[in-house]
Amino acid sequence: MKIPVSLACRLALRGQGLDGGWGLPAGKEGVAQAIEHLGYVQIDTIAVVQRAHHHTLWARCPDYAPQMLHELQACDRRIFEYWWAGGASYIPMGDYRYYLPRMRASAESQRARHWLAENAPVAQEVLARIRQEGALASADFEAPEGFQRGTWWNWKPAKRALETLFSMGELMVRERRSFQRVYDLAERVLPSGADTTEPPPDEVARFMVRRMLAAHGVASPGELRKGVGDRDAVEGALGELQSAGEVLPVEIEGLDGEPYYALAATLTQAAAPPQGKAPLHILCPFDNLLTWRGRLEELFGFDYSLECYLPAAKRRYGYFCLPILWGERFVGRLDPKADRRQKTLIVRRIIFEPSLDDYERLLPALGEKLRAMAAFNGCERVLVERVMPEKVEALVQRSLDVPPFGDIPQGVV
């Protein structure tokens, strides 16, 4: 089947819940369903604005509050933490059994076995204390006398034991306190009745391929491998699902390279463009839609990278630049910082795409979203410092209803 790029984009946005078509219930239940639709939500530490996992969920659930995520993990046990494609993530609890092979592989890895063999007393003490005292964080364990923290990964032995046992599945994260993991025995975290039977590799591959195609609309084998991990497993799963009529190959007009695939049900339901006002989203750099940068450029023509890891002199757009998605296209990016003490959302700069010309319709929607983002970050006002291209600065100022550019309150930096 051949489809235009515009339809591929529409399928991606529908799968990601960014076209307004999901119809999620309000409150915590809507948040749980959003995570179940997406398959995972990546956790990140950067906090110049609300952290990535909160921002990703807010983009899909306008009434989202961080406490909802805490309750889903710590109280309701609807989600758990584990690694997705190398990143710490919140994952639906219903998917737990499909991560058991990864936990077993971690336990059987040479790195884990070697470390545990050399540090058995530390691991045993960690497990014994958690078994006896209940859930504990790394801060509950003393570092050895003379230990110096050093580099990012130079953890104290107890922290290394906690993380190793977590990756092996012996421990799970019961909750986070002040963003720090609190670990407990897996059997005390899993809800009653959780399925803990390990599926065979082919079942895992089929599950992950279905999950990723549902969440991304269309995907190439290379993209699917990032979630499944193994080329042969992806090819085997695609072959079986095609034979069963669940998956169809898709050719996207104008794109060469690897073929794409989509769920047959997705293509059946994929017809007309969404009706009504085009939704506008300010996305975080770790949003699920932005996972694969090459795909962003291929499908949406949007060249995007996160620049916070670059020296300031090499940044083109800003420390924590966020894409602006309007309807089915990316129209710009902005670099924000929440000054919570001054209750001000500072936008260092807004950079619109050169092809954008429909400012009259865009700017009211952007202003509304910026004010909502300010409230989500505990701020009461928005301060825009710079707009590019400069010729639209005055129009932006009027449309966004913000103070004059550069009118920075005392103490705002």
Side-chain angles (χ1 to χ4, degrees):
M1 175 183 294
K2 180 178 284 191
I3 63 173
V5 172
S6 59
L7 179 54
C9 292
R10 191 173 306 144
L11 293 175
L13 296 172
R14 178 76 50 86
Q16 286 291 302
L18 293 171
D19 68 345
W22 271 5
L24 297 172
K28 189 169 58 175
E29 179 58 31
V31 176
Q33 290 187 24
I35 299 171
E36 287 160 3
H37 275 293
L38 294 170
Y40 76 97
V41 171
Q42 187 170 338
I43 303 168
D44 193 70
T45 60
I46 298 173
V48 291
V49 289
Q50 283 277 18
R51 288 190 170 99
H53 39 289
H54 298 312
H55 193 141
T56 296
L57 291 167
W58 171 71
R60 293 154 177 85
C61 306
D63 65 344
Y64 172 78
Q67 181 64 21
M68 296 176 185
L69 190 64
H70 173 79
E71 291 178 7
L72 287 171
Q73 179 181 32
C75 306
D76 306 334
R77 313 288 175 81
R78 291 281 295 271
I79 58 176
F80 72 102
E81 280 192 44
Y82 200 65
W83 307 107
W84 195 95
S89 301
Y90 291 110
I91 298 165
M93 187 63 80
D95 295 3
Y96 174 78
R97 65 186 294 257
Y98 295 101
Y99 287 81
L100 289 171
R102 301 186 187 189
M103 297 174 188
R104 179 172 51 79
S106 176
E108 294 174 355
S109 70
Q110 183 177 355
R111 181 179 180 182
R113 287 188 289 111
H114 177 74
W115 190 87
L116 288 171
E118 290 192 342
N119 297 272
V122 178
Q124 291 165 7
E125 180 194 357
V126 164
L127 284 172
R129 281 194 57 191
I130 290 175
R131 191 172 290 114
Q132 293 166 11
E133 301 175 34
L136 297 173
S138 174
D140 295 313
F141 295 89
E142 295 287 341
E145 186 175 350
F147 176 81
Q148 294 187 355
R149 177 71 164 78
T151 60
W152 180 264
W153 295 110
N154 185 25
W155 289 328
K156 63 186 178 186
K159 170 65 172 174
R160 181 71 179 272
L162 288 165
E163 288 295 319
T164 300
L165 294 166
F166 164 72
S167 293
M168 292 167 53
E170 294 274 344
L171 299 177
M172 293 180 70
V173 178
R174 174 172 286 279
E175 63 176 322
R176 283 186 178 244
R177 296 178 191 155
S178 301
F179 198 61
Q180 302 304 306
R181 283 173 168 167
V182 180
Y183 305 83
D184 203 349
L185 302 177
E187 59 265 30
R188 296 202 301 227
V189 175
L190 290 168
S192 176
D195 189 347
T196 58
T197 56
E198 183 177 332
D202 59 337
E203 183 182 345
V204 175
R206 289 193 300 273
F207 173 82
M208 289 295 180
V209 166
R210 287 191 190 101
R211 167 72 83 192
M212 294 176 70
L213 289 178
H216 291 283
V218 295
S220 69
E223 291 164 350
L224 294 170
R225 283 196 296 274
K226 293 172 184 176
V228 178
D230 181 80
R231 179 188 297 270
D232 292 340
V234 169
E235 291 179 356
L238 286 172
E240 291 176 27
L241 293 170
Q242 284 184 83
S243 297
E246 287 188 58
V247 167
L248 296 174
V250 173
E251 182 182 347
I252 301 176
E253 293 175 0
L255 298 187
D256 299 321
E258 285 191 295
Y260 280 80
Y261 293 85
L263 295 175
T266 297
L267 292 170
T268 301
Q269 300 162 2
Q275 300 299 309
K277 187 170 68 171
L280 186 142
H281 300 284
I282 300 170
L283 301 178
C284 83
F286 301 97
D287 191 277
N288 297 48
L289 181 67
L290 310 181
T291 296
W292 304 317
R293 305 293 200 240
R295 168 193 178 91
L296 261 190
E297 191 159 8
E298 273 200 329
L299 295 188
F300 293 91
F302 189 63
D303 180 13
Y304 175 72
S305 61
L306 179 58
E307 298 181 344
C308 62
Y309 305 113
L310 294 176
K314 293 187 176 182
R315 294 176 194 148
R316 295 174 59 198
Y317 301 111
Y319 176 80
F320 200 62
C321 189
L322 310 184
I324 304 169
L325 174 68
W326 186 37
E328 298 180 0
R329 60 178 176 147
F330 287 91
V331 295
R333 57 200 95 200
L334 56 86
D335 181 27
K337 171 184 169 58
D339 186 322
R340 298 175 181 90
R341 185 169 60 86
Q342 296 288 334
K343 297 188 179 301
T344 301
L345 178 67
I346 304 168
V347 181
R348 298 297 191 196
R349 69 179 93 179
I350 301 175
I351 306 101
F352 293 111
E353 290 293 282
S355 59
L356 179 65
D357 56 11
D358 195 1
Y359 290 101
E360 295 288 349
R361 283 201 313 125
L362 167 69
L363 291 177
L366 179 58
E368 182 181 349
K369 184 61 67 173
L370 279 173
R371 286 186 283 274
M373 185 177 176
F376 180 55
N377 281 273
C379 298
E380 297 175 352
R381 53 187 247 139
V382 179
L383 176 69
V384 177
E385 294 184 352
R386 186 180 178 193
V387 175
M388 299 175 65
E390 293 180 358
K391 65 182 181 181
V392 299
E393 275 197 358
L395 181 61
V396 170
Q397 183 179 326
R398 290 196 302 272
S399 298
L400 300 188
D401 189 24
V402 298
F405 300 100
D407 180 17
I408 304 174
Q410 185 177 3
V412 175
V413 294

